[in-house]
Amino acid sequence: MNFSDKKLLFFFPENPFSKRAGNVLRCYTNLMQLKSLGLSIDLVGVEDYYKSFGDSFENMAPEIIDNVFVLKTNPPKKKLTFEYWKYKFLKKYGEKNPNQYLTHFLKDNFRTVLAQKKYDYIVINYEYWTDLIRGQDLKGAKTIIDTHDWITLNEFYNNATIDLGKKFGEEINNLSFYDKVITISQDEYFIFKSLLGEKVINIPPSFPENFDDTSQQKKYDLIFVGSDNPFNVLSIQWFVEKVLPLLSEKIRICIIGRICKHVPDHPNIEKLFFADDLKTYYHASKIAICPMLKGTGIKIKVVEALSFGLPVVGTEKAIDGFLDKKNNGCLVSDDEKEFADIIKNLLNNPSDYEKQKQEAIHFFKNNFSEEKSIELWKNSLTF
């Protein structure tokens, strides 16, 4: 099918070109792959998100994006205007949405975007933004939801007292609104497909192959890349407090990302709050770690590490969403002593290290190639 005459509206609240975290990097990759199909793409974001992360509104990759709309959640605070009092009234007395950013003002602004042209496809990221398009005149556009995560389980991790039945019912109700439902995790694919049928498609995250066949000297023994979301914070604290004391005093560790704000100074740890190009650091590292204790879905950082042919040492959560739980380039344990022992064995036994490296390369090629991902996106757009 030729998509060169097709228009797609892509909603993601953050700036997908900041690439600050796994979810953002996934959106960037999706946009690149959708553009490769020939689509004309408009991007919609939320100003509050851009400002909270200090993101720029400018230079939004014109080679990928045709038009950018960064929408406000509230009108200007001019108390003498009808618009101000209208939305103040709706905020106080109108129907409330669990998503605090999905205001009546934002939805009306989104309606203005929809009115400007006819889109063939509308992609929404995260099911809790569904009311952005529910009740709108979509002019026949096909709707696609990229779930990212199993939101009910994510919220349960943050608040164990939530009404699971009610929340999951709301999530399934939102997903059922769409023509296509995209998952990235094999586990979530099974759950959602069981309830929603053939509209559910699994598109795992993908990266270009960056396997390093050179024998260059490695500067770091371990590398961890992560944002400062609560799950990453809990994970790196567990590693530093429980695992690091069990490792060699000469171990060299590189930690990259906003997670560095939560990592104590340590003689064995080099912290980089931002790296424009991660290739240099992955190629300079022997092993990637993913000590996740909570969270849902495939861990983008694990797939990214596999794309460099790096063995991964993680907890059981590190391989969430994988089709194969064994022979995938990852060695896992939730016990701190076993976690440390796995690392020590890989660093001290070249043959075991090479075996894990080849497993990582093989598993990545079979499951996370760019070519496979693009083909899956093409299938998801063919109605």
Side-chain angles (χ1 to χ4, degrees):
M1 181 176 179
N2 184 3
F3 295 98
S4 59
D5 61 340
K6 302 296 183 181
K7 297 179 177 62
L8 182 146
L9 186 64
F10 191 94
F11 172 83
F12 183 64
E14 303 177 44
N15 180 351
F17 300 99
S18 66
K19 295 185 281 186
R20 79 173 68 79
N23 63 318
V24 181
L25 182 57
R26 170 174 163 74
C27 277
Y28 168 78
T29 302
N30 287 344
L31 285 168
M32 291 276 289
Q33 294 179 355
L34 288 166
K35 188 64 179 180
S36 74
L37 296 175
L39 290 153
S40 172
I41 303 175
D42 288 352
L43 175 68
V44 179
V46 178
E47 186 179 275
D48 285 16
Y49 278 78
Y50 277 63
K51 286 184 174 180
S52 68
F53 289 112
D55 286 341
S56 170
F57 293 57
E58 308 297 329
N59 303 318
M60 298 288 282
E63 71 279 8
I64 301 174
I65 304 299
D66 294 316
N67 297 288
V68 179
F69 307 93
V70 181
L71 307 181
K72 297 178 183 294
T73 54
N74 293 295
K77 294 182 178 180
K78 297 179 181 178
K79 296 186 178 181
L80 296 179
T81 65
F82 170 77
E83 183 180 58
Y84 172 83
W85 288 107
K86 170 189 172 183
Y87 288 106
K88 188 174 180 66
F89 178 86
L90 287 172
K91 184 176 182 179
K92 187 171 183 177
Y93 299 106
E95 185 178 351
K96 300 292 190 298
N97 194 289
N99 180 350
Q100 62 175 324
Y101 296 103
L102 214 173
T103 62
H104 293 277
F105 186 74
L106 180 71
K107 189 168 182 178
D108 285 350
N109 275 303
F110 191 76
R111 182 177 294 115
T112 301
V113 173
L114 291 172
Q116 294 182 23
K117 67 174 71 170
K118 183 184 185 304
Y119 292 99
D120 298 284
Y121 308 102
I122 297 174
V123 176
I124 301 292
N125 287 271
Y126 299 109
E127 58 83 19
Y128 47 81
W129 289 98
T130 299
D131 281 347
L132 194 60
I133 58 173
R134 185 181 275 124
Q136 303 271 33
D137 181 7
L138 305 180
K139 303 176 184 176
K142 301 297 184 181
T143 56
I144 302 166
I145 178 70
D146 190 340
T147 58
H148 285 264
D149 288 303
W150 184 5
I151 298 301
T152 298
L153 187 55
N154 252 356
E155 292 197 5
F156 174 73
Y157 283 139
N158 288 319
N159 177 15
T161 65
I162 67 168
D163 185 333
L164 281 173
K166 179 181 178 182
K167 181 66 192 77
F168 189 48
E170 291 171 352
E171 182 170 6
I172 293 300
N173 180 58
N174 282 341
L175 296 181
S176 67
F177 175 83
Y178 295 88
D179 295 306
K180 296 285 185 180
V181 176
I182 306 299
T183 63
I184 68 172
S185 158
Q186 197 69 33
D187 301 333
E188 290 157 20
Y189 170 71
F190 174 78
I191 292 168
F192 293 146
K193 186 178 176 66
S194 297
L195 297 170
L196 299 169
E198 296 301 319
K199 68 165 63 180
V200 183
I201 298 175
N202 195 56
I203 305 181
S206 64
F207 291 91
E209 293 181 3
N210 286 292
F211 309 135
D212 181 13
D213 293 327
T214 68
S215 57
Q216 71 177 80
Q217 189 69 28
K218 303 296 185 182
K219 182 178 179 181
Y220 308 107
D221 296 301
L222 308 177
I223 185 171
F224 178 83
V225 179
S227 65
D228 58 347
N229 72 55
F231 300 143
N232 280 336
V233 173
L234 180 67
S235 302
I236 203 63
Q237 288 175 345
W238 176 81
F239 175 81
V240 171
E241 293 172 9
K242 302 290 187 179
V243 181
L244 184 53
L246 304 176
L247 298 174
S248 167
E249 294 180 357
K250 297 181 180 180
I251 196 94
R252 298 161 300 172
I253 305 171
C254 178
I255 298 179
I256 302 175
R258 295 161 69 100
I259 189 63
C260 288
K261 294 188 294 183
H262 304 274
V263 178
D265 292 335
H266 192 283
N268 300 88
I269 298 176
E270 180 178 331
K271 296 185 284 186
L272 293 93
F273 283 82
F274 178 78
D276 189 50
D277 186 358
L278 291 173
K279 288 182 182 179
T280 301
Y281 298 96
Y282 274 118
H283 284 314
S285 303
K286 297 177 182 177
I287 299 168
I289 58 170
C290 183
M292 303 298 290
L293 302 176
K294 292 183 178 181
T296 62
I298 279 183
K299 308 302 178 283
I300 304 296
K301 62 173 66 67
V302 173
V303 178
E304 186 173 36
L306 295 176
S307 77
F308 287 89
L310 288 189
V312 176
V313 179
T315 52
E316 292 285 348
K317 279 289 175 188
I319 56 173
D320 271 0
F322 279 11
L323 182 61
D324 297 316
K325 302 299 184 182
K326 302 287 186 181
N327 304 316
N328 51 29
C330 304
L331 294 169
V332 301
S333 176
D334 288 350
D335 177 79
E336 58 263 27
K337 185 179 183 304
E338 289 183 3
F339 198 104
D341 286 344
I342 293 169
I343 291 173
K344 287 186 281 189
N345 180 64
L346 288 176
L347 292 177
N348 296 324
N349 292 282
S351 61
D352 287 351
Y353 180 87
E354 185 62 25
K355 176 179 179 293
Q356 286 305 123
K357 178 179 179 178
Q358 293 306 316
E359 272 191 11
I361 291 172
H362 181 75
F363 188 69
F364 178 84
K365 285 183 174 181
N366 285 344
N367 293 277
F368 306 113
S369 72
E370 287 187 304
E371 293 78 8
K372 180 178 179 180
S373 183
I374 290 171
E375 189 62 31
L376 288 168
W377 270 115
K378 189 184 297 183
N379 293 340
S380 72
L381 297 175
T382 305
F383 288 81

